[in-house]
């Protein structure tokens, strides 16, 4: 019974509140040095992302139980790498765009009249891409997502095309931007501003998270396969998203911090699956090990 109390605590709001505090505090030492509010803006975006992830699961139940362990893990993973809480909030904003589009995507399951949903989804994605080019990779991911939801049709492809054209059409038509303002996006290279030790630390975090995601995905595969087709489709989307994110992190490695929040979101979903489907009373040990690893990661970044 004592173990079950701990498990309920870790899967509940109190642990999420603690993770939120840790997320906020993770930016403080860096803010004191840089005198900027970007860190707090970034933390706010991450908190909104966590709330969206919670309500996405509450609405569509792709995780076995309504839990906040996914939100807690997301916050902890974000706090573990201070660059995610003090730098540009583009990565957290891309995660928000992805989750906003996922609400529409999941709601279109098995609907052959989903043209409006398809239009809205791809309009949101293109609007995000106009703000940050990294959102472009989400377009093929969501195209496959609509195929997984069994809601894509010939009319759906037309709706997708119109949705992609609408944001730039509005911006150009209203004179907010002109054709002369259009240019190739400026490619980022985070490695050029990091020291040798910082680069290795960031690379280590990415590799460990990628291995954790793969291990948990394999561990949860058979359990998810036993779910009904609709829930399998929802989780299949997250699997495709995780693979595409890892591929983009390898291709666009200079902009790796923009993709890391989406990867953290995918890991949080897999951790929540493992935690809620396991009947082992000692399952809280895995979460505590993750907490310890996140604390160690943050302290190592801080010392460098």
């Amino acid at each position: 019974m004592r173990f079950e109390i701990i498990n309920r605590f870790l899967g509940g709001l109190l642990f999420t509140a603690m993770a939120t505090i840790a997320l906020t505090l993770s930016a403080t030492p860096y803010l004191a040095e840089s005198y900027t509010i970007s860190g707090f803006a970034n933390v706010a975006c991450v908190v909104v992302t966590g709330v969206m992830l919670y309500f996405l699961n509450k609405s569509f139940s792709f995780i076995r139980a309504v839990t906040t362990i996914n939100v807690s893990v997301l916050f902890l993973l974000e706090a573990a790498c201070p660059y995610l809480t003090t730098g540009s909030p583009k990565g957290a904003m891309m995660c928000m765009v992805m989750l906003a589009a996922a609400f529409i995507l999941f709601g279109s399951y098995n609907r052959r009249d989903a043209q409006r949903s398809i239009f809205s989804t791809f309009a949101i994605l293109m609007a995000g891409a106009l703000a940050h080019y990294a959102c472009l990779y989400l377009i093929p991911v969501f195209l496959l997502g609509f195929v997984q939801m069994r809601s894509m049709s010939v009319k759906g492809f037309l709706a997708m095309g119109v949705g992609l054209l609408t944001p730039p059409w509005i911006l150009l038509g209203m004179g907010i931007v002109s054709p002369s303002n259009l240019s190739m996006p400026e490619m980022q290279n985070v490695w050029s501003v990091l020291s040798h030790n910082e680069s290795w630390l960031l690379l280590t975090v990415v590799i460990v998270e990628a291995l954790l995601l793969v291990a948990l995905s394999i561990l949860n595969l058979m359990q998810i396969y036993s779910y009904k087709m609709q829930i399998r489709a929802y989780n299949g989307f997250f699997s495709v998203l995780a693979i595409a994110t890892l591929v983009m992190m390898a291709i666009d490695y200079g902009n790796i911090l923009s993709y890391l929040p989406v990867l953290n979101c995918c890991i949080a979903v897999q951790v929540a699956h493992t935690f809620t489907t396991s009947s082992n009373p000692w399952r809280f040990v895995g979460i505590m090990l993750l907490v310890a690893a996140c604390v160690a990661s943050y302290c190592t970044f801080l010392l460098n």
Side-chain angles (χ1 to χ4, degrees):
M1 183 63 183
R2 184 185 307 167
F3 294 154
E4 192 55 37
I5 291 174
I6 297 174
N7 287 321
R8 284 202 300 267
F9 168 76
L10 293 177
L13 290 172
L14 288 177
F15 188 57
T16 304
M18 292 174 59
T20 307
I21 294 171
L23 176 69
T24 306
L25 292 178
S26 69
T28 304
Y30 291 86
L31 291 176
E33 296 175 2
S34 58
Y35 301 101
T36 176
I37 63 171
S38 63
F40 290 127
N42 212 334
V43 168
C45 288
V46 175
V47 171
V48 171
T49 299
V51 173
M52 294 174 71
L53 181 60
Y54 171 79
F55 281 105
L56 183 66
N57 179 54
K58 187 174 182 180
S59 300
F60 298 101
S61 302
F62 53 89
I63 299 172
R64 181 178 180 180
V66 177
T67 177
T68 61
I69 193 69
N70 50 349
V71 181
S72 305
V73 171
L74 174 63
F75 290 170
L76 288 171
L77 291 174
E78 292 287 298
C81 181
Y83 303 141
L84 295 178
T85 56
T86 57
S88 169
K90 289 182 178 179
M93 293 175 66
M94 184 165 73
C95 205
M96 291 167 60
V97 169
M98 180 273 293
L99 289 172
F103 271 97
I104 305 174
L105 172 69
F106 288 2
S108 71
Y109 180 80
N110 207 23
R111 285 179 48 198
R112 303 306 296 177
D113 59 342
Q115 292 83 15
R116 187 174 300 177
S117 297
I118 294 171
F119 166 81
S120 301
T121 297
F122 287 99
I124 290 172
L125 295 177
M126 179 52 72
L130 291 175
H132 186 30
Y133 73 89
C135 286
L136 286 171
Y137 93 101
L138 294 174
I139 293 174
V141 171
F142 275 83
L143 173 58
L144 289 175
F146 277 106
V147 173
Q148 289 175 303
M149 299 303 137
R150 299 162 59 183
S151 55
M152 182 57 76
S153 62
V154 175
K155 291 182 179 179
F157 277 103
L158 295 175
M160 179 183 72
V162 175
L164 293 174
L165 290 173
T166 297
W169 183 18
I170 291 175
L171 292 177
L172 290 170
M174 296 183 66
I176 299 174
V177 297
S178 63
S180 60
N181 298 134
L182 301 178
S183 61
M184 293 296 294
E186 181 180 351
M187 305 304 289
Q188 306 292 321
N189 187 5
V190 66
W191 308 103
S192 64
V193 298
L194 298 179
S195 67
H196 178 76
N197 288 342
E198 290 171 334
S199 297
W200 275 110
L201 280 171
L202 180 58
L203 184 60
T204 301
V205 167
V206 172
I207 292 174
V208 170
E209 288 197 8
L211 292 175
L212 177 62
L213 176 61
V214 172
L216 291 176
S217 298
I218 295 173
L219 182 64
N220 295 326
L221 184 61
M222 293 308 297
Q223 180 65 42
I224 293 175
Y225 187 76
S226 68
Y227 294 161
K228 64 181 183 179
M229 188 176 295
Q230 184 173 358
I231 303 302
R232 292 206 305 268
Y234 294 158
N235 285 286
F237 165 76
F238 278 107
S239 297
V240 172
L241 176 66
I243 294 171
T245 302
L246 288 172
V247 170
M248 286 306 302
M249 292 174 79
I251 295 174
D252 190 14
Y253 58 87
N255 193 33
I256 200 167
L257 289 177
S258 291
Y259 303 100
L260 195 51
V262 179
L263 187 71
N264 289 341
C265 187
C266 294
I267 294 174
V269 170
Q270 294 300 330
V271 171
H273 272 302
T274 305
F275 187 83
T276 57
T277 58
S278 174
S279 58
N280 191 327
W282 290 87
R283 64 187 182 276
F284 69 88
V285 174
I287 300 298
M288 297 313 296
L289 290 175
L290 180 61
V291 172
C294 290
V295 171
S297 173
Y298 174 74
C299 291
T300 306
F301 273 110
L302 197 62
L303 292 174
N304 283 274

